[in-house]
Amino acid sequence: MNSNEHTLPRRTLLAAAALLPLGAPVAGSAQTLGDKSGRIISGFPAGGGMDPLVRMLADKLRGKYAKAMIVENRAGAGGRIAIEAARTSPGDGATLLFTPESPMVIFPHIYKKLAYDPVKDFMPVTTIFSIKMGLVVGPGAPVKTLAEYLAWVKQDPKRAVYGSPGAGTMPHFLGAMFARATEVPFTHIAYRGGAPMALELMGGQLPAAFQPIGFDSVDRHKNGRLRVLAIAENARTKQLPEVPTFAELGYKTLLFNEWFGLFVPAATPPDTVRSLAAQVHAAMREPDIQAWLENGQADMLLSTPEEMASRVRGGSAEWSRIVRETGYSPEE
């Protein structure tokens, strides 16, 4: 195993293994934290694409897991600001961290001065959902298919530009691997999140982007403001059946989706993690949240803490290899 890869501490494995099945009823008071309030720290801005889910989840945990549950948006630095805030919080079950996969499995391999250790500093609670990735073009790229896009780019190297929601994110690396697969020297532009990138994409200043395929991008594809050219999955999606996968177009290695989940500070008692996971699973099965996932083309992905820990370990090992192959090195 590469020295940069993270291994799961024995105490975390033992604690996760000791958790009761998540379908079991929560013992004791319905308010696990009693009269204490809780908070979910999110690395996404208020009103952003993921914010509605976090707020729905907080509403459902209010009065069941905690007397009050607030959402604290700490956007910036690709999610690192939120993670660092959660890392320094007490391990009493009152602080939950909502984060995508990238900061926990990719960032440790690209940032030399990362202020947190995903394994040592956090206890996994549950994955929540996963979302697909793909290549999207705007009016700045007058093409309808991936083949047309590649031909258009090769006509003028200045067109070989793509954006992503941030440096070191999964869409960024999908773009890097696409560049390797097509042997086209693309230039990457890192944005401070998906919202400013989408504005330039729709405005024609940015010709193409790799981004999550769901939520706003599905609607924009259907109303013609953007066009999804290909999705990094094995099969086409239900809501965009006309959009091919990279695999069926000959790029079989471009298979990417990203999970989102909840963590708590490492010192959080296992019984609290068990209770919290059970409450989150129950909330995610509520009809309004399931409808939100369906509308956003996100796939439910609930797990035990142990299964989530395994995902972190496996993802870390896989992304260590991918980062080496792409040769990416951040400026900081």
Side-chain angles (χ1 to χ4, degrees):
M1 182 175 289
N2 185 281
S3 60
N4 288 330
E5 293 170 9
H6 294 272
T7 57
L8 197 67
R10 184 172 181 271
R11 65 170 179 81
T12 304
L13 278 173
L14 292 174
L19 299 177
L20 295 177
L22 295 183
V26 180
S29 170
Q31 292 185 353
T32 304
L33 296 183
D35 290 333
K36 293 173 62 176
S37 296
R39 61 175 179 163
I40 302 176
I41 298 179
S42 169
F44 295 92
M50 300 298 170
D51 199 48
L53 173 71
V54 183
R55 295 185 182 278
M56 283 192 289
L57 182 58
D59 285 342
K60 295 183 185 303
L61 294 178
R62 187 178 298 117
K64 295 180 180 179
Y65 177 72
K67 183 177 180 180
M69 181 66 69
I70 65 170
V71 175
E72 193 172 301
N73 299 94
R74 296 213 179 184
R80 284 176 286 162
I81 292 174
I83 295 173
E84 290 167 17
R87 181 186 67 84
T88 57
S89 300
D92 56 2
T95 298
L96 288 61
L97 169 68
F98 173 76
T99 179
E101 177 180 359
S102 297
M104 306 307 261
V105 304
I106 301 179
F107 287 8
H109 303 295
I110 62 176
Y111 292 110
K112 296 179 180 179
K113 296 180 180 180
L114 203 61
Y116 62 91
D117 185 307
V119 172
K120 293 180 180 179
D121 294 334
F122 292 96
M123 176 77 79
V125 178
T126 180
T127 50
I128 298 178
F129 66 89
S130 66
I131 191 167
K132 301 167 181 65
M133 302 285 166
L135 172 60
V136 180
V137 296
V143 300
K144 294 183 178 180
T145 67
L146 186 65
E148 289 179 0
Y149 172 68
L150 286 172
W152 180 76
V153 164
K154 291 175 181 178
Q155 289 175 359
D156 184 352
K158 294 181 181 179
R159 299 171 176 170
V161 175
Y162 75 90
S164 83
T169 61
M170 202 165 289
H172 171 198
F173 280 104
L174 175 56
M177 294 186 72
F178 178 72
R180 284 167 56 90
T182 58
E183 298 183 343
V184 174
F186 281 92
T187 297
H188 170 238
I189 299 177
Y191 285 80
R192 293 181 179 271
M197 182 183 74
L199 288 175
E200 295 211 348
L201 193 60
M202 290 186 292
Q205 296 91 350
L206 177 69
F210 286 89
Q211 65 177 57
I213 303 302
F215 308 102
D216 294 340
S217 61
V218 172
D219 292 336
R220 289 164 180 163
H221 173 88
K222 291 180 176 180
N223 63 30
R225 300 184 72 186
L226 298 175
R227 181 180 294 275
V228 183
L229 297 184
I231 295 175
E233 284 285 333
N234 278 316
R236 296 193 182 199
T237 68
K238 182 171 63 177
Q239 288 189 322
L240 296 176
E242 73 279 10
V243 177
T245 67
F246 281 109
E248 66 183 277
L249 296 175
Y251 304 100
K252 299 185 183 300
T253 60
L254 300 183
L255 297 173
F256 281 76
N257 58 53
E258 184 164 29
W259 53 257
F260 291 70
L262 292 172
F263 291 81
V264 290
T268 306
D271 284 350
T272 301
V273 177
R274 175 195 62 193
S275 178
L276 173 58
Q279 294 282 0
V280 171
H281 283 211
M284 292 300 298
R285 293 188 177 103
E286 291 286 333
D288 56 343
I289 288 189
Q290 291 198 24
W292 184 88
L293 293 174
E294 177 71 17
N295 292 336
Q297 277 219 150
D299 298 314
M300 183 89 79
L301 186 65
L302 302 180
S303 69
T304 65
E306 188 176 28
E307 288 167 345
M308 189 178 184
S310 179
R311 283 184 184 275
V312 173
R313 291 200 311 278
S316 180
E318 177 69 8
W319 279 100
S320 175
R321 177 187 64 79
I322 293 173
V323 170
R324 289 197 305 270
E325 290 179 356
T326 59
Y328 174 68
S329 179
E331 294 181 359
E332 56 182 285

